[in-house]
Amino acid sequence: MSTLNKNHTLLGFLFIGLGAYFFLRHLNIPHLQPFYSWPFLLVLIGAAFLFHSYVSRDTSSLFTGTIVTGFGIHFLAVDQLAFWRDHWGVYLCIVGAAFLLQYRKTKKGLVPALVLLGTGAFVLFSPTLPAWIQWINQFFLLIERFWPLVLIAFGLYLLKKKT
């Protein structure tokens, strides 16, 4: 599949997802009210990247799709599920899962996947964290406060990155 067709596939999935979202929002179905939110838009955009990755057999969108979908699911779950923890360890698990899915397709990224998943699970399920790990907690609280700036910095990095 050519690069042009791959880009068209991604755009096609994005437009289908966004069109379905806005159409359902226009219908204002009461049972779908929790899904009329920006976290669900993240899920749709991430799903478009994942579908594109699997349909076009282009693994470059797999990592991005997993992270965006994972963050969307996390933000939805925080609002909708009482048992869901809003903790920075979840972010490590999401990125670790993205590395793990990438590893399944490309055989690259197993060590970061295991480190991130292990660390995320440790901080999520540990009843008390050691004192030396508190700086990480402060760092993630800072990121949570200024996450739009992190997105801007990452976008600038991607623009400057040489492929």
Side-chain angles (χ1 to χ4, degrees):
M1 192 178 282
S2 73
T3 305
L4 186 60
N5 286 341
K6 288 181 183 181
N7 290 340
H8 284 257
T9 304
L10 177 59
L11 286 174
F13 284 131
L14 279 171
F15 281 121
I16 290 169
L18 292 174
Y21 170 80
F22 286 113
F23 181 70
L24 288 173
R25 188 172 178 156
H26 178 72
L27 293 177
N28 202 19
I29 300 170
H31 296 297
L32 297 179
Q33 199 68 29
F35 298 105
Y36 301 148
S37 62
W38 68 267
F40 193 69
L41 281 174
L42 285 179
V43 172
L44 286 176
I45 292 168
F49 275 98
L50 290 173
F51 285 136
H52 167 71
S53 179
Y54 284 107
V55 168
S56 67
R57 300 192 190 283
D58 179 17
T59 58
S60 65
S61 300
L62 187 61
F63 188 82
T64 304
T66 304
I67 288 179
V68 174
T69 304
F71 281 9
I73 290 171
H74 169 67
F75 294 132
L76 268 175
V78 164
D79 290 338
Q80 303 299 320
L81 303 172
F83 66 87
W84 197 271
R85 292 188 61 193
D86 188 15
H87 190 276
W88 59 267
V90 175
Y91 305 131
L92 295 179
C93 290
I94 291 169
V95 176
F99 272 111
L100 195 61
L101 282 176
Q102 180 183 359
Y103 171 76
R104 278 190 53 223
K105 294 292 183 181
T106 64
K107 302 300 180 215
K108 295 177 185 174
L110 181 61
V111 172
L114 295 177
V115 168
L116 289 168
L117 285 170
T119 305
F122 173 73
V123 298
L124 272 174
F125 300 114
S126 178
T128 59
L129 294 176
W132 59 268
I133 208 164
Q134 291 305 320
W135 70 270
I136 297 175
N137 195 26
Q138 294 301 319
F139 175 73
F140 274 95
L141 288 174
L142 187 68
I143 287 178
E144 283 180 349
R145 180 178 293 159
F146 297 107
W147 67 268
L149 296 177
V150 173
L151 290 178
I152 291 169
F154 186 64
L156 290 171
Y157 165 76
L158 290 176
L159 288 175
K160 295 288 183 185
K161 180 182 169 188
K162 305 253 194 256
T163 55

